[in-house]
């Protein structure tokens, strides 16, 4: 039962008054630690306080379903089932269905089935190691996303393959929060779940939300993306990366084809989409693809724009962002 006590979550309620008109719009913010990251939600409107209460409860509920480390979670039970059928919640079935569709759409560069490999590299406990080639090959041979069966709320995954929603859960959580906020008739909010941001509506007063893109090489931002009703998701390998003794860069985004940390020449990918779950997963997929394939993917995919940073410090932005992306240093940016 202790597991249900929200040990990791702490709440800071900040009631802030902004503006100085007749009826200044009031905002409420909550900061939550969940899904291994610091989350901040800022909501405008009369029901802001109630919205934050429901949002916090929802994030904690989703974490208990998707956490790979809590033994009673849906994913942990699938991963321990050794090929047997497992009854899951509707949300888990929904995310898994979406994840499999994204795996197909991205030609396997997004893969929800890599958890055993992540463990082999030590990402799950934060103690990095370089597995033997044979160990990687053995584990990869057991990953077969096409063999996952979803029948209503029953999930069957091939033995040996383990699931992980690390590249989609936060984006999905943001989508769920938007549903909660809309239900309470909130029209303006900014949801920031680590590198996964969702801007609801626009800022009070009619200006777009301004989302900063982190500079992987510095401490500031490399620019601002101005958005209304959009998800802005960043996937990068610059936060926790190590060099192995063999000179291999070790970081937490794996190339599903090699079972090794993706070496695509990119250090960061930011997507702009309408949908948080999709944007989250696609940021990871584009990172694995590398710049040429990623640009082609964005080009043929409706409602997807992106900003890329390469390991030599160049910034590439797609044309659809011309009126939204305001770079700090326009000279570093190529438009594609
Ligand atoms: P972050 O978690 O830092 O926001 P991402 O959204 O890119 O970054 O997600 C990375 C996480 O996704 C990893 O920690 C791991 O759990 C999982 N993951 C790693 N490689 C892949 C991949 N190729 N496809 C899907 N998930 C992945
Ligand atoms: Mg992602």
């Amino acid at each position: 039962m202790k597991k249900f006590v929200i040990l990791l979550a702490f709440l800071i309620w900040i009631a802030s008054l902004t503006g100085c008109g007749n009826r200044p719009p009031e905002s409420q913010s909550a900061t939550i630690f969940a899904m291994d990251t610091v989350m901040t939600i800022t909501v405008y409107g009369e029901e802001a306080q109630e919205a934050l209460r429901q949002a916090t409860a929802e994030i904690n509920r989703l974490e208990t379903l998707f956490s790979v480390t809590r033994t009673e979670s849906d994913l942990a039970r699938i991963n321990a089932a050794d090929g047997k059928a497992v009854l899951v919640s509707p949300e888990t079935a929904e995310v898994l269905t979406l994840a499999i569709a994204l795996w197909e759409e991205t030609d396997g560069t997004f893969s929800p089935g890599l958890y055993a490999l992540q463990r082999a590299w030590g990402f799950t406990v934060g103690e990095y190691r370089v597995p033997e080639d044979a160990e990687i090959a053995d584990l990869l041979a057991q990953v077969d996303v096409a063999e996952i069966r979803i029948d209503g709320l029953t999930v069957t995954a091939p033995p040996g393959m383990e699931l992980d929603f690390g590249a989609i859960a936060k984006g999905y959580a943001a989508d769920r929060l938007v549903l909660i906020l809309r239900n309470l008739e909130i029209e303006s909010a900014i949801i920031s779940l680590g590198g996964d941001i969702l801007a609801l509506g626009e800022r009070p007063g009619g200006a777009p939300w301004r989302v900063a893109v982190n500079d992987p090489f510095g401490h500031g931002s490399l620019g601002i993306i101005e958005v209304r009703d959009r998800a802005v998701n960043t996937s990068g390998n610059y936060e926790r990366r190590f060099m192995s003794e063999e000179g291999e860069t070790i970081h937490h985004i794996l190339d599903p084809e090699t079972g090794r940390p993706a070496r695509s020449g990119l250090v960061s990918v930011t997507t702009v989409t309408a949908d948080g779950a999709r944007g989250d997963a696609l940021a990871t997929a584009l990172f694995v693809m590398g710049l040429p394939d990623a640009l082609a993917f964005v080009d043929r995919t409706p409602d997807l724009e992106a900003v890329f940073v390469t390991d030599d410090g160049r910034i590439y932005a797609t044309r659809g962002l011309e009126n939204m992306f305001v770079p700090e240093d326009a000279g570093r940016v190529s438009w594609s």
Side-chain angles (χ1 to χ4, degrees):
M1 283 306 108
K2 267 176 289 171
K3 299 267 165 71
F4 288 101
V5 180
I6 303 153
L7 280 176
L8 289 176
F10 62 93
L11 267 179
I12 304 166
W13 300 89
I14 308 158
S16 61
L17 287 174
T18 51
C20 46
N22 293 341
R23 283 195 62 211
E26 215 171 282
S27 78
Q28 304 257 350
S29 297
T31 299
I32 306 155
F33 185 79
M35 299 182 178
D36 224 14
T37 195
V38 179
M39 308 179 162
T40 307
I41 306 165
T42 300
V43 178
Y44 289 82
E46 276 171 28
E47 295 286 351
Q49 186 134 351
E50 172 62 12
L52 291 178
R53 195 190 62 74
Q54 291 186 21
T56 304
E58 179 67 358
I59 284 174
N60 288 308
R61 191 178 72 88
L62 294 176
E63 182 164 34
T64 62
L65 298 178
F66 301 156
S67 165
V68 268
T69 50
R70 300 184 187 202
T71 48
E72 80 282 17
S73 80
D74 282 356
L75 284 201
R77 289 186 301 110
I78 295 170
N79 291 347
D82 201 30
K84 288 194 268 308
V86 174
L87 190 65
V88 299
S89 66
E91 291 81 358
T92 302
E94 184 188 357
V95 177
L96 189 55
T97 303
L98 185 61
I100 294 168
L102 283 157
W103 172 78
E104 275 172 15
E105 183 182 350
T106 63
D107 206 15
T109 49
F110 168 86
S111 169
L114 300 177
Y115 192 65
L117 280 141
Q118 287 161 36
R119 188 186 297 112
W121 284 91
F123 301 139
T124 53
V125 288
E127 284 166 25
Y128 293 69
R129 61 185 276 270
V130 179
E132 298 287 325
D133 289 352
E135 186 182 350
I136 293 175
D138 278 354
L139 291 171
L140 264 187
Q142 300 181 71
V143 178
D144 194 352
V145 176
E147 281 301 307
I148 301 171
R149 294 283 166 262
I150 307 174
D151 181 11
L153 297 181
T154 303
V155 172
T156 317
M161 174 166 71
E162 294 186 48
L163 303 183
D164 161 54
F165 288 168
I168 192 169
K170 281 178 279 168
Y172 176 79
D175 291 335
R176 298 285 305 194
L177 297 196
V178 164
L179 294 181
I180 287 175
L181 301 187
R182 289 223 166 101
N183 255 332
L184 292 167
E185 283 167 23
I186 282 163
E187 292 172 353
S188 176
I190 185 95
I191 298 165
S192 169
L193 314 182
D196 300 298
I197 316 264
L198 212 152
L200 174 65
E202 56 191 11
R203 286 154 78 195
W209 288 107
R210 294 161 55 82
V211 179
V213 183
N214 282 345
D215 186 344
F217 298 103
H219 294 290
S221 84
L222 54 79
I224 300 287
I225 303 179
E226 298 184 328
V227 286
R228 291 180 173 86
D229 281 317
R230 277 288 173 283
V232 180
N233 300 84
T234 297
S235 201
N237 71 355
Y238 51 90
E239 273 168 353
R240 284 168 279 182
R241 54 188 291 171
F242 295 88
M243 197 67 93
S244 74
E245 284 165 21
E246 296 79 19
E248 183 164 13
T249 305
I250 305 179
H251 62 84
H252 70 314
I253 300 172
L254 294 178
D255 182 338
E257 207 169 293
T258 63
R260 297 177 165 274
R263 288 162 79 175
S264 62
L266 294 171
V267 285
S268 152
V269 176
T270 299
T271 53
V272 181
T273 60
D275 181 279
R278 189 173 159 74
D280 190 3
L282 289 181
T284 305
L286 295 177
F287 187 99
V288 172
M289 286 177 202
L291 189 64
D293 285 358
L295 284 173
F297 186 93
V298 174
D299 206 40
R300 67 172 180 265
T301 307
D303 185 37
L304 173 65
E305 304 296 338
V307 177
F308 303 91
V309 185
T310 57
D311 53 16
D312 59 2
R314 294 284 312 165
I315 301 168
Y316 294 81
T318 57
R319 291 256 171 230
L321 292 178
E322 262 172 340
N323 296 321
M324 289 186 252
F325 179 47
V326 187
E328 196 74 33
D329 173 4
R332 261 174 86 190
V333 181
S334 308
W335 293 94
S336 305

